[in-house]
Amino acid sequence: MTASHNGKLFIETVGCQMNMLDSELVVGALRKQGYNLTDDIREADTVLFNTCSVREHAEHKIYSALGRLKFSKQARPNQVIGVLGCMAQKDQELVFQRAPHVDLVVGTGQLAEVPRLIDAARESRERSLAVSLDRKEGGRAAVSDSFQSYDPLREPEMRPTPHQAFVRIVIGCDKFCTYCVVPMTRGPEQSRPPRDIRHEVQVLADQGVKEVTLLGQTVNSYKHTQDGRLFRLSDLLEHIHDVDGILRLKFVTNFPKDMTDDLLQAVRDLPKCAQYLHVPLQSGCNEMLKRMKRGYTVEDYREMMSRIRTTLPNAAISSDFIVGFCGETEESHQKSLDLIRECRFKNSFIFKYSPRPGTKAFELHADDVPEEIKKHRNNEMLALQNQISAEDNAQFIGRDVEVLVEGPSRNELKRGDPTTTGPVQLTGRTTCDRIVVFDGNPRLAGSLAQIQIDDCTPTTLLGQIVTREVQHGSSSLLPILV
Ligand code: SAH
Ligand code: SF4
Ligand code: F3S
């Protein structure tokens, strides 16, 4: 049993959606024990960092934040500082060496222990380390068991918006791309039972969630046998599709080789599925793909794209790219640009290669592309992608789109007048994941609205709400719906 608290909790989260979900769950558990969230680190008696190791920059950010807390316990001797998540699993004892004032280091597979470990740290003032086995430290079953799936309580306030929630369906990763730490920080690939997933979606729907995003590092590798029946991602989508109240289902991130026809057909046939697929290509050069050990060629990716276009002609596809990977020549880089032109991604997340100790690429290949060139390639790729995104967005001008309204836009939140009752700037997303900004009543959040698009930027569509006069079968434009 853990004690009851009325302490203040500060948490900073970096990294991917998996981490956002983990933070939601940790905060949910702590709030149940009486903790209150604060966004002022100075008044917090419990300070948690949920960390990411995918690039060096993400780690630096956390070590610098920890550095700033070096003397904070002088003012608050009762303070407990915890490092959670991927960097905790990867660096383990090293976190204590680099930041001796840290009390707990808790890996991705031990997050259920956090409340107990905080109490223990406060009582005994002793450090604790809770991490999973390294991937070479035991058999597959033992290592898998040490990475416990952690999906207990849901905490609506920690969600991006009250109507959107993540649900983990696959933990870990077995692809071992040579540049990537995730198979180490998240452990072996394990798919959760369809029964548990459906139950969780049901709980979320009862809490008012309208859009569920299923999460996995390779979400489309999902496979689970339940009561003698094999569920693939396509089967799982069908299994949860009829949960009342859910309007939209998404899933990220897809692995190109696992983008099978049954999945594309499920997205086509199940109306709640978003017409959006995030399927990272990483490079348009076969030598690079081979060195990355991605398990497909440019030709394979092209074949997959053509299957997607045939089955889902209106779907938007987005990608990730790494520029400046070991041995990447100007020619390889140009091939990546060619593929961006050919595939016309809705958007691409572009990263400069960051060598990660413990990975195959780090051990085997020199990080031989100078930083300046990485930067240049990054900018060049971004400019090309932006041009394509702007051209594609421009095609929506004059058209009506259906959006799921998320709530006040970032600008509106910055303006921050909570007493406003009139129309405000809202954002929503189309089924193909395009962001739409328009004016409307904040009460529209969580509902579907028709928007006529009249302008755009590379990242955003801008428009006005359309209301239909059903009797006359015509549309009229109303700037505000009240
Ligand atoms: N599981 C997902 C992505 C996980 S990490 C997938 O396979 O697509 C998110 C993105 O970070 C990756 O797609 C890759 O583009 C990038 N990334 C991963 N390791 C990196 C590294 N060492 N340096 C730079 N970018 C990296
Ligand atoms: Fe990393 Fe590759 Fe797994 Fe994605 S598929 S998490 S890039 S190892
Ligand atoms: Fe980072 Fe871990 Fe996600 S390394 S990208 S937080 S799985």
Short mmCIF file of all heavy atoms in Angstrom, two decimals, residues 59-90:
data_model
loop_
_atom_site.label_atom_id
_atom_site.label_comp_id
_atom_site.label_asym_id
_atom_site.label_seq_id
_atom_site.Cartn_x
_atom_site.Cartn_y
_atom_site.Cartn_z
N GLU A 59 18.03 13.67 -25.33
CA GLU A 59 18.68 13.35 -24.05
C GLU A 59 19.30 14.60 -23.43
O GLU A 59 19.19 14.83 -22.22
CB GLU A 59 19.75 12.28 -24.26
CG GLU A 59 19.17 10.96 -24.72
CD GLU A 59 20.20 9.83 -24.71
OE1 GLU A 59 21.42 10.13 -24.70
OE2 GLU A 59 19.78 8.66 -24.71
N HIS A 60 19.95 15.41 -24.29
CA HIS A 60 20.57 16.65 -23.80
C HIS A 60 19.57 17.51 -23.07
O HIS A 60 19.86 18.09 -22.03
CB HIS A 60 21.08 17.47 -24.99
CG HIS A 60 22.51 17.20 -25.29
ND1 HIS A 60 23.45 17.08 -24.31
CD2 HIS A 60 23.17 17.03 -26.47
CE1 HIS A 60 24.63 16.82 -24.86
NE2 HIS A 60 24.47 16.78 -26.18
N LYS A 61 18.39 17.59 -23.68
CA LYS A 61 17.35 18.45 -23.15
C LYS A 61 17.04 18.07 -21.69
O LYS A 61 16.92 18.93 -20.82
CB LYS A 61 16.10 18.28 -24.03
CG LYS A 61 15.17 19.42 -23.94
CD LYS A 61 14.06 19.32 -24.94
CE LYS A 61 12.90 20.11 -24.34
NZ LYS A 61 11.68 20.00 -25.05
N ILE A 62 16.96 16.75 -21.46
CA ILE A 62 16.62 16.29 -20.11
C ILE A 62 17.81 16.46 -19.16
O ILE A 62 17.64 16.93 -18.03
CB ILE A 62 16.14 14.82 -20.15
CG1 ILE A 62 14.87 14.71 -20.99
CG2 ILE A 62 15.93 14.28 -18.73
CD1 ILE A 62 13.68 15.54 -20.51
N TYR A 63 19.02 16.12 -19.63
CA TYR A 63 20.17 16.29 -18.73
C TYR A 63 20.35 17.78 -18.37
O TYR A 63 20.74 18.10 -17.25
CB TYR A 63 21.44 15.68 -19.33
CG TYR A 63 21.51 14.17 -19.11
CD1 TYR A 63 21.51 13.28 -20.19
CD2 TYR A 63 21.56 13.64 -17.83
CE1 TYR A 63 21.57 11.90 -19.99
CE2 TYR A 63 21.61 12.27 -17.61
CZ TYR A 63 21.62 11.41 -18.69
OH TYR A 63 21.67 10.05 -18.47
N SER A 64 20.06 18.69 -19.30
CA SER A 64 20.16 20.12 -18.96
C SER A 64 19.10 20.49 -17.94
O SER A 64 19.37 21.22 -16.97
CB SER A 64 19.95 21.04 -20.16
OG SER A 64 20.64 20.58 -21.24
N ALA A 65 17.88 19.98 -18.14
CA ALA A 65 16.81 20.30 -17.17
C ALA A 65 17.20 19.75 -15.79
O ALA A 65 16.99 20.41 -14.76
CB ALA A 65 15.49 19.70 -17.63
N LEU A 66 17.80 18.56 -15.77
CA LEU A 66 18.23 17.98 -14.48
C LEU A 66 19.33 18.85 -13.87
O LEU A 66 19.35 19.08 -12.65
CB LEU A 66 18.74 16.55 -14.68
CG LEU A 66 17.67 15.49 -14.98
CD1 LEU A 66 18.34 14.17 -15.36
CD2 LEU A 66 16.75 15.27 -13.77
N GLY A 67 20.23 19.33 -14.72
CA GLY A 67 21.31 20.20 -14.25
C GLY A 67 20.76 21.43 -13.53
O GLY A 67 21.28 21.85 -12.49
N ARG A 68 19.70 21.98 -14.04
CA ARG A 68 19.10 23.18 -13.43
C ARG A 68 18.49 22.88 -12.07
O ARG A 68 18.22 23.79 -11.29
CB ARG A 68 18.05 23.78 -14.37
CG ARG A 68 18.66 24.45 -15.60
CD ARG A 68 17.64 25.31 -16.34
NE ARG A 68 16.60 24.52 -16.96
CZ ARG A 68 16.71 23.96 -18.18
NH1 ARG A 68 17.82 24.10 -18.88
NH2 ARG A 68 15.72 23.25 -18.69
N LEU A 69 18.27 21.59 -11.77
CA LEU A 69 17.65 21.24 -10.47
C LEU A 69 18.68 20.85 -9.41
O LEU A 69 18.33 20.40 -8.32
CB LEU A 69 16.70 20.05 -10.66
CG LEU A 69 15.41 20.32 -11.42
CD1 LEU A 69 14.59 19.04 -11.53
CD2 LEU A 69 14.59 21.40 -10.72
N LYS A 70 19.96 21.03 -9.76
CA LYS A 70 21.04 20.56 -8.90
C LYS A 70 20.90 21.02 -7.44
O LYS A 70 21.15 20.26 -6.51
CB LYS A 70 22.34 21.10 -9.47
CG LYS A 70 23.55 20.29 -9.18
CD LYS A 70 24.64 20.73 -10.10
CE LYS A 70 25.96 20.09 -9.77
NZ LYS A 70 27.00 20.61 -10.66
N PHE A 71 20.49 22.28 -7.27
CA PHE A 71 20.43 22.81 -5.91
C PHE A 71 19.01 22.95 -5.40
O PHE A 71 18.77 23.52 -4.36
CB PHE A 71 21.14 24.17 -5.85
CG PHE A 71 22.57 24.06 -6.29
CD1 PHE A 71 22.98 24.61 -7.50
CD2 PHE A 71 23.50 23.37 -5.52
CE1 PHE A 71 24.30 24.48 -7.92
CE2 PHE A 71 24.82 23.24 -5.94
CZ PHE A 71 25.22 23.79 -7.14
N SER A 72 18.06 22.41 -6.15
CA SER A 72 16.68 22.70 -5.79
C SER A 72 16.27 22.01 -4.49
O SER A 72 15.38 22.47 -3.79
CB SER A 72 15.75 22.38 -6.95
OG SER A 72 15.10 21.19 -6.77
N LYS A 73 16.97 20.92 -4.14
CA LYS A 73 16.60 20.24 -2.90
C LYS A 73 17.05 21.03 -1.66
O LYS A 73 16.58 20.74 -0.56
CB LYS A 73 17.20 18.85 -2.86
CG LYS A 73 16.40 17.85 -3.68
CD LYS A 73 16.84 16.45 -3.45
CE LYS A 73 16.34 15.56 -4.54
NZ LYS A 73 17.08 14.33 -4.65
N GLN A 74 17.94 22.01 -1.85
CA GLN A 74 18.32 22.84 -0.70
C GLN A 74 17.10 23.61 -0.21
O GLN A 74 16.90 23.80 0.98
CB GLN A 74 19.44 23.81 -1.10
CG GLN A 74 20.75 23.08 -1.27
CD GLN A 74 21.86 23.97 -1.75
OE1 GLN A 74 21.66 25.15 -2.02
NE2 GLN A 74 23.05 23.41 -1.87
N ALA A 75 16.28 24.06 -1.17
CA ALA A 75 15.07 24.80 -0.79
C ALA A 75 13.93 23.85 -0.43
O ALA A 75 13.07 24.18 0.36
CB ALA A 75 14.66 25.72 -1.92
N ARG A 76 13.93 22.67 -1.04
CA ARG A 76 12.82 21.72 -0.80
C ARG A 76 13.42 20.35 -0.48
O ARG A 76 13.47 19.48 -1.34
CB ARG A 76 11.94 21.59 -2.05
CG ARG A 76 11.36 22.89 -2.57
CD ARG A 76 10.38 22.61 -3.69
NE ARG A 76 9.11 22.14 -3.16
CZ ARG A 76 8.12 22.95 -2.79
NH1 ARG A 76 8.25 24.24 -2.91
NH2 ARG A 76 7.00 22.46 -2.32
N PRO A 77 13.87 20.15 0.75
CA PRO A 77 14.58 18.90 1.08
C PRO A 77 13.74 17.66 0.85
O PRO A 77 14.27 16.56 0.68
CB PRO A 77 14.94 19.06 2.56
CG PRO A 77 14.48 20.41 3.00
CD PRO A 77 13.77 21.08 1.88
N ASN A 78 12.43 17.84 0.81
CA ASN A 78 11.54 16.71 0.64
C ASN A 78 11.32 16.33 -0.82
O ASN A 78 10.64 15.35 -1.12
CB ASN A 78 10.19 17.07 1.24
CG ASN A 78 9.71 15.98 2.16
OD1 ASN A 78 10.45 15.01 2.39
ND2 ASN A 78 8.49 16.12 2.66
N GLN A 79 11.91 17.11 -1.70
CA GLN A 79 11.63 16.91 -3.12
C GLN A 79 12.16 15.57 -3.63
O GLN A 79 13.24 15.13 -3.24
CB GLN A 79 12.29 18.04 -3.91
CG GLN A 79 11.85 18.12 -5.35
CD GLN A 79 12.41 19.36 -6.02
OE1 GLN A 79 13.63 19.56 -6.01
NE2 GLN A 79 11.54 20.17 -6.57
N VAL A 80 11.36 14.93 -4.49
CA VAL A 80 11.79 13.69 -5.14
C VAL A 80 11.87 13.95 -6.63
O VAL A 80 10.93 14.49 -7.22
CB VAL A 80 10.80 12.54 -4.85
CG1 VAL A 80 11.11 11.31 -5.70
CG2 VAL A 80 10.83 12.16 -3.37
N ILE A 81 13.02 13.57 -7.21
CA ILE A 81 13.21 13.78 -8.65
C ILE A 81 13.32 12.42 -9.33
O ILE A 81 14.14 11.58 -8.94
CB ILE A 81 14.48 14.62 -8.92
CG1 ILE A 81 14.37 15.97 -8.20
CG2 ILE A 81 14.71 14.82 -10.42
CD1 ILE A 81 15.60 16.84 -8.29
N GLY A 82 12.49 12.20 -10.35
CA GLY A 82 12.49 10.90 -11.02
C GLY A 82 12.70 11.03 -12.52
O GLY A 82 12.21 11.96 -13.14
N VAL A 83 13.48 10.09 -13.06
CA VAL A 83 13.69 10.03 -14.51
C VAL A 83 13.02 8.74 -14.99
O VAL A 83 13.36 7.64 -14.53
CB VAL A 83 15.20 10.03 -14.84
CG1 VAL A 83 15.44 9.79 -16.32
CG2 VAL A 83 15.82 11.36 -14.41
N LEU A 84 12.04 8.88 -15.88
CA LEU A 84 11.26 7.73 -16.35
C LEU A 84 11.48 7.52 -17.84
O LEU A 84 11.91 8.42 -18.54
CB LEU A 84 9.76 7.96 -16.13
CG LEU A 84 9.28 8.64 -14.86
CD1 LEU A 84 7.75 8.75 -14.90
CD2 LEU A 84 9.72 7.86 -13.64
N GLY A 85 11.12 6.33 -18.31
CA GLY A 85 10.99 6.12 -19.75
C GLY A 85 12.25 5.62 -20.44
O GLY A 85 13.11 4.96 -19.84
N CYS A 86 12.35 5.99 -21.71
CA CYS A 86 13.36 5.38 -22.59
C CYS A 86 14.80 5.65 -22.16
O CYS A 86 15.65 4.76 -22.18
CB CYS A 86 13.13 5.83 -24.03
SG CYS A 86 11.64 5.06 -24.72
N MET A 87 15.10 6.90 -21.75
CA MET A 87 16.48 7.20 -21.35
C MET A 87 16.81 6.51 -20.02
O MET A 87 17.96 6.12 -19.78
CB MET A 87 16.67 8.70 -21.24
CG MET A 87 18.10 9.13 -21.21
SD MET A 87 18.22 10.93 -21.10
CE MET A 87 18.03 11.18 -19.34
N ALA A 88 15.81 6.34 -19.19
CA ALA A 88 16.01 5.63 -17.92
C ALA A 88 16.40 4.18 -18.22
O ALA A 88 17.35 3.64 -17.64
CB ALA A 88 14.73 5.67 -17.08
N GLN A 89 15.68 3.55 -19.15
CA GLN A 89 15.99 2.16 -19.51
C GLN A 89 17.36 2.07 -20.16
O GLN A 89 18.12 1.14 -19.92
CB GLN A 89 14.90 1.62 -20.45
CG GLN A 89 15.13 0.20 -20.94
CD GLN A 89 15.17 -0.82 -19.80
OE1 GLN A 89 14.44 -0.70 -18.83
NE2 GLN A 89 16.05 -1.81 -19.91
N LYS A 90 17.69 3.06 -20.98
CA LYS A 90 18.95 2.97 -21.73
C LYS A 90 20.15 3.34 -20.86
O LYS A 90 21.15 2.64 -20.85
CB LYS A 90 18.88 3.92 -22.93
CG LYS A 90 20.15 4.01 -23.74
CD LYS A 90 19.96 4.88 -24.97
CE LYS A 90 21.26 5.52 -25.40
NZ LYS A 90 21.70 6.64 -24.54
#
